[in-house]
């Protein structure tokens, strides 16, 4: 099985402040993400799940003073190598956030097209076609095809989140990162997103951070359990949720803390 | 027991706050009187403010409307002693002055505001670092400088080297007044754009400048445009800085390098003149200026309302 992401001894901290530097958010994380699988990251709040995700597409460094140590290989090439442009890395790694973030001044159409244009698409006919392809991938096309010119913010929360997935897919990323994509949505919309991710898994590699252990159990092939910046256990989801090796994992998944 | 203790604390607190003004007890009548008096004082002050506005507005309209005519907008001032005439040159002059002011004030204020909000600090959006703080403070100070001082400054820096008054100099003086208004407005409204939108843009693989130009500024645009309108409204009535810079002119000013008349300066000259028809024309000029300011204000409010609708 092909590994798309190879995270090697990754540590991260916030700020040049000595206290922050001596209390890293991530401590020596190593794991590998397999192609066309869903990898779930679970753990209590503040355990570094989101920071882990943001280190993969170099969004962590957007916060001034944030430091990263170790390496991330995306299809064999270092994301943190010399002369690597973080902007180009972010085009190869799609990201969806907790809150739906459609660009409020852009129409539904342009919210998707803005990603396509970044990849150099210019011709109107090609754009039209690719917007439709992207919206079909997230099963939103039939709901919005008659109102593509309306603002993205006019959609419901669940639809907005699917629009954001479509926007992220438009740049044709090698990996799709999702940071608690359903925690701001109602159960119906969450269900739709999960269904969508199951479908997308056939052609994309997905890493999802979730608060919801049931979601990780339902959805993912591999699960990593984070606790206070450390990767406690990383294994097949079925194993993590039935026979975890570490006592802390068992305590967490059985709801003894978290 | 506990109830008694807490009651005592409450009494002490109310004594600490109001005790120095009026001896307050937990007395129903006393509270009621205080409540009513505070309510009536604030109501009276509100009505006073509103009626001032109403009085100024209606008196200027009452005096000005009668002197307003087609001639007022199309003709030059009549020679002393003759009736009729208008302020066409001053209306054109004010527009030219505002044009120069906009040309200077909008871009500088906008880009400065973008710097403060997006580049100035250590974060994206920028945190309120020390440098940002001092620039904002400088903008506040600039905003507080009496406009006549800005007039003198431009007189020394622009008028003296060029050796004559000009539309350009007047426009520069007004532009300097516009800059801090637009700058602060832009900064505040850009900061209102949620940082999640910036992150979404960055995560999509947009360069920072592109995130700013295609996402942050368009999202904040109604607010930014409002601060621009406020800037225009503020300077369109400025008289003092124009006296040293644009000076005044009895005729149409040609080009940008000759002295020009402006509505506020004309109102000033005409209203202190001894001729009754000049005084009437000053009222008419005031009316035109008032309508101009009200229109820009209304326009800015409409832009803001559109923004509110959009974010809902």
């Amino acid at each position: 099985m092909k590994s798309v992401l190879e995270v090697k001894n990754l540590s991260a901290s916030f700020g040049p402040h000595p206290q922050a530097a001596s209390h890293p958010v991530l401590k020596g994380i190593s794991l590998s993400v397999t192609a066309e699988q869903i990898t779930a990251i679970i753990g209590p709040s503040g355990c570094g799940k989101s920071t882990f995700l943001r280190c993969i597409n170099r969004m962590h460094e957007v916060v001034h003073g944030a430091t990263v140590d170790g390496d991330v290989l995306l299809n064999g090439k270092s994301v943190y190598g010399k002369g690597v442009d973080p902007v180009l890395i972010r085009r190869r790694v799609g990201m969806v956030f907790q809150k739906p973030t459609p660009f409020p001044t852009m129409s539904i159409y342009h919210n998707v097209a803005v990603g396509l244009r970044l990849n150099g698409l210019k011709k109107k006919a090609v754009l039209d076609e690719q917007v439709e392809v992207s919206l079909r991938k997230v099963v939103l096309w039939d709901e919005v095809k008659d109102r593509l010119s309306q603002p993205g913010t006019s959609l419901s929360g669940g639809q907005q989140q699917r629009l954001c997935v479509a926007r992220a897919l438009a740049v044709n990323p090698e990996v799709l990162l999702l940071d608690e994509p359903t925690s701001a949505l109602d159960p119906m919309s969450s269900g739709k997103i999960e269904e969508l991710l199951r479908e997308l898994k056939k052609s994309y590699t997905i890493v999802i951070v979730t608060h919801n252990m049931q979601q990780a159990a339902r959805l993912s092939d591999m699960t990593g359990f984070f606790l206070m910046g450390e990767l406690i256990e990383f294994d097949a989801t079925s194993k993590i949720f039935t026979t975890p090796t570490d006592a802390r994992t068992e305590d967490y998944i059985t709801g003894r803390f978290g | 027991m506990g109830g008694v203790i807490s009651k005592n604390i409450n009494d002490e607190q109310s004594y600490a706050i109001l005790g120095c003004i009026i001896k307050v007890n937990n007395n129903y009548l006393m509270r009621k009187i205080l409540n009513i008096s505070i309510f009536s004082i604030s109501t009276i002050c509100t009505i006073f403010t509103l009626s001032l506005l109403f009085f100024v507005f209606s008196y200027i309209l009452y005096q000005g409307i009668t002197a307003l005519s087609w001639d007022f907008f199309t003709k030059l001032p009549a020679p002393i002693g003759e009736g009729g005439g208008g302020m066409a040159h001053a209306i054109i002059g004010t527009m030219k002055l505002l044009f120069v002011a906009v040309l200077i004030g909008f871009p500088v204020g906008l880009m400065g505001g973008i710097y403060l909000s997006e580049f100035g600090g250590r974060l994206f959006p920028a945190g309120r670092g020390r440098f940002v703080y001092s620039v904002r403070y400088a903008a506040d100070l600039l905003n507080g400088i009496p406009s006549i001082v800005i007039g003198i400054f431009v007189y020394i820096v622009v008028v003296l080297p060029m050796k004559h008054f000009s539309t350009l100099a007047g426009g520069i003086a007004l532009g300097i007044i516009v800059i801090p208004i637009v700058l602060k407005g832009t900064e505040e409204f850009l900061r209102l754009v949620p940082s999640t939108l910036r992150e979404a843009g960055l995560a999509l693989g947009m360069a920072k400048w592109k995130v700013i130009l295609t996402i942050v500024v368009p999202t904040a645009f109604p607010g930014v445009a409002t601060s621009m309108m406020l800037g225009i409204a503020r300077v369109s009535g400025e008289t003092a800085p124009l006296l040293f810079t644009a000076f005044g002119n009895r005729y149409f000013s040609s080009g940008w390098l000759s002295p020009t008349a402006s509505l506020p300066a004309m109102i000033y000259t005409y209203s202190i003149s001894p001729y009754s028809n000049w005084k009437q024309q000053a009222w008419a000029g005031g009316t035109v200026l008032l309508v101009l300011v009200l229109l820009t204000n209304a326009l800015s409010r409409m832009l803001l309302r559109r923004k509110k609708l959009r974010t809902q």
Side-chain angles (χ1 to χ4, degrees):
Chain A
M1 282 203 285
K2 194 179 157 235
S3 140
V4 174
L5 267 179
E6 199 76 49
V7 180
K8 286 181 177 171
N9 201 21
L10 185 78
S11 299
S13 73
F14 284 107
H17 197 271
Q19 215 174 2
S22 63
H23 287 82
V25 197
L26 290 177
K27 300 169 199 163
I29 308 287
S30 297
L31 60 79
S32 95
V33 174
T34 312
E36 290 164 21
Q37 279 197 346
I38 297 181
T39 304
I41 307 291
I42 59 170
S45 299
C47 68
K49 305 183 297 268
S50 294
T51 307
F52 172 73
L53 219 52
R54 291 165 66 92
C55 282
I56 295 176
N57 66 344
R58 295 192 63 172
M59 281 297 286
H60 179 58
E61 66 205 60
V62 170
V63 180
H64 181 86
T67 60
V68 182
D69 204 36
D71 205 357
V72 176
L73 302 183
L74 178 59
N75 280 320
K77 282 197 182 147
S78 171
V79 163
Y80 286 96
K82 258 197 177 161
V84 174
D85 184 356
V87 169
L88 295 180
I89 291 296
R90 290 174 199 142
R91 283 184 206 174
R92 293 167 59 197
V93 184
M95 191 171 202
V96 175
F97 296 87
Q98 184 172 359
K99 259 184 78 186
T101 50
F103 301 136
T105 53
M106 294 184 196
S107 65
I108 295 170
Y109 178 92
H110 281 109
N111 259 289
V112 181
V114 75
L116 294 165
R117 285 214 187 90
L118 282 176
N119 255 16
L121 283 189
K122 284 198 176 76
K123 279 189 193 139
K124 178 92 170 73
V126 185
L127 271 178
D128 286 353
E129 190 195 314
Q130 285 305 312
V131 167
E132 182 177 339
V133 168
S134 299
L135 286 172
R136 276 193 194 282
K137 272 186 198 159
V138 299
V139 208
L140 195 59
W141 176 253
D142 289 325
E143 292 162 57
V144 301
K145 63 182 173 194
D146 300 321
R147 46 181 183 139
L148 287 173
S149 59
Q150 283 180 24
T153 42
S154 66
L155 298 171
S156 75
Q159 290 173 322
Q160 287 187 17
Q161 196 61 300
R162 277 182 282 153
L163 180 64
C164 291
V165 176
R167 187 176 66 192
L169 293 181
V171 282
N172 209 12
E174 293 157 44
V175 186
L176 184 63
L177 309 176
L178 300 115
D179 191 355
E180 297 184 32
T182 60
S183 64
L185 304 178
D186 63 277
M188 281 292 282
S189 309
S190 304
K192 277 191 176 169
I193 298 270
E194 282 185 26
E195 209 174 294
L196 163 67
L197 293 181
R198 246 178 240 120
E199 194 57 39
L200 289 177
K201 173 182 133 171
K202 290 172 189 162
S203 40
Y204 291 91
T205 309
I206 296 170
V207 183
I208 180 171
V209 159
T210 176
H211 243 81
N212 184 335
M213 275 179 278
Q214 284 76 25
Q215 186 174 56
R218 277 195 300 267
L219 209 55
S220 65
D221 304 289
M222 298 291 283
T223 299
F225 171 58
F226 277 53
L227 187 64
M228 299 175 71
E230 285 177 78
L231 180 62
I232 303 297
E233 201 167 347
F234 183 62
D235 214 327
T237 301
S238 53
K239 180 149 189 310
I240 291 271
F241 283 97
T242 49
T243 49
T245 352
D246 199 290
R248 288 168 292 181
T249 315
E250 190 171 350
D251 285 350
Y252 182 70
I253 59 166
T254 52
R256 246 167 256 162
F257 75 97
Chain B
M1 222 7 218
V4 175
I5 290 169
S6 68
K7 188 170 179 288
N8 284 340
I9 290 170
N10 279 341
D11 278 355
E12 268 172 35
Q13 277 175 340
S14 52
Y15 271 119
I17 297 164
L18 289 165
C20 49
I21 309 168
I22 299 168
K23 196 184 171 198
V24 181
N25 223 325
N26 267 348
N27 184 326
Y28 176 71
L29 186 71
M30 203 58 200
R31 262 186 290 139
K32 195 144 191 175
I33 291 171
L34 262 180
N35 207 16
I36 288 171
S37 45
I38 300 276
F39 171 72
S40 23
I41 291 169
S42 57
T43 308
I44 289 167
C45 290
T46 309
I47 291 173
F48 180 70
T49 315
L50 283 177
S51 55
L52 266 184
L53 180 73
F54 179 75
F55 179 72
V56 171
F57 189 55
S58 51
Y59 194 71
I60 291 178
L61 271 187
Y62 167 72
Q63 291 281 356
I65 286 281
T66 47
L68 269 182
S69 62
W70 186 240
D71 279 0
F72 183 85
F73 293 100
T74 55
K75 290 212 167 135
L76 284 175
I80 297 170
E82 269 179 44
M87 289 194 186
H89 67 313
I91 294 170
I92 303 278
T94 283
M95 282 176 179
K96 279 165 79 179
L97 287 167
L98 288 180
F99 180 73
V100 177
V102 161
L103 227 51
I104 294 166
F106 284 10
V108 177
L110 177 71
M111 296 312 283
I114 288 177
Y115 177 82
L116 288 188
S117 163
E118 310 297 318
F119 293 100
R122 299 156 163 190
L123 304 170
F124 181 59
R128 296 187 187 251
R130 193 177 293 167
F131 179 69
V132 171
Y133 178 78
S134 41
V135 175
R136 295 188 85 241
Y137 190 60
D140 278 341
L141 283 180
L142 192 59
N143 209 3
I145 290 178
S147 54
I148 195 160
V149 177
I150 289 171
I152 295 169
F153 169 74
V154 173
Y155 176 77
I156 292 166
V157 172
V158 182
V159 176
L160 283 185
M162 289 175 74
K163 295 197 169 62
H164 53 83
F165 299 107
S166 63
T167 310
L168 186 69
I172 289 173
L174 297 185
I176 291 175
I177 300 172
V178 171
I179 288 173
I181 299 171
V182 174
L183 182 131
K184 288 198 69 187
T186 303
E187 194 210 346
E188 288 304 320
F189 280 104
L190 289 189
R191 277 185 193 281
L192 286 180
V193 176
S195 57
T196 50
L197 283 182
R198 293 181 179 86
E199 294 210 327
L202 287 178
L204 202 56
M206 286 182 176
K208 191 171 169 180
W209 65 267
K210 199 161 193 176
V211 172
I212 293 169
L213 287 192
T214 60
I215 298 168
V216 182
V217 174
T219 306
F221 182 73
V224 174
T226 303
S227 62
M228 289 174 168
M229 291 296 138
L230 286 177
I232 294 186
R234 157 84 198 273
V235 294
S236 56
E238 283 291 348
T239 321
L242 295 180
L243 297 177
F244 302 102
T245 51
F247 190 65
N249 198 331
R250 298 282 297 163
Y251 305 97
F252 285 109
S253 129
S254 59
W256 303 95
L257 298 178
S258 51
T260 182
S262 61
L263 273 176
M266 283 296 278
I267 294 170
Y268 172 71
T269 330
Y270 272 40
S271 60
I272 56 170
S273 76
Y275 316 110
S276 67
N277 66 324
W278 278 27
K279 284 194 166 142
Q280 277 307 305
Q281 294 220 323
W283 284 115
T287 310
V288 172
L289 209 50
L290 193 70
V291 169
L292 182 75
V293 172
L294 283 177
L295 278 183
T296 42
N297 254 319
L299 193 65
S300 65
R301 257 153 230 275
M302 268 162 57
L303 284 170
L304 259 192
R305 189 165 307 155
R306 240 184 59 210
K307 179 191 166 134
K308 275 186 197 133
L309 284 178
R310 195 184 289 158
T311 46
Q312 263 167 15

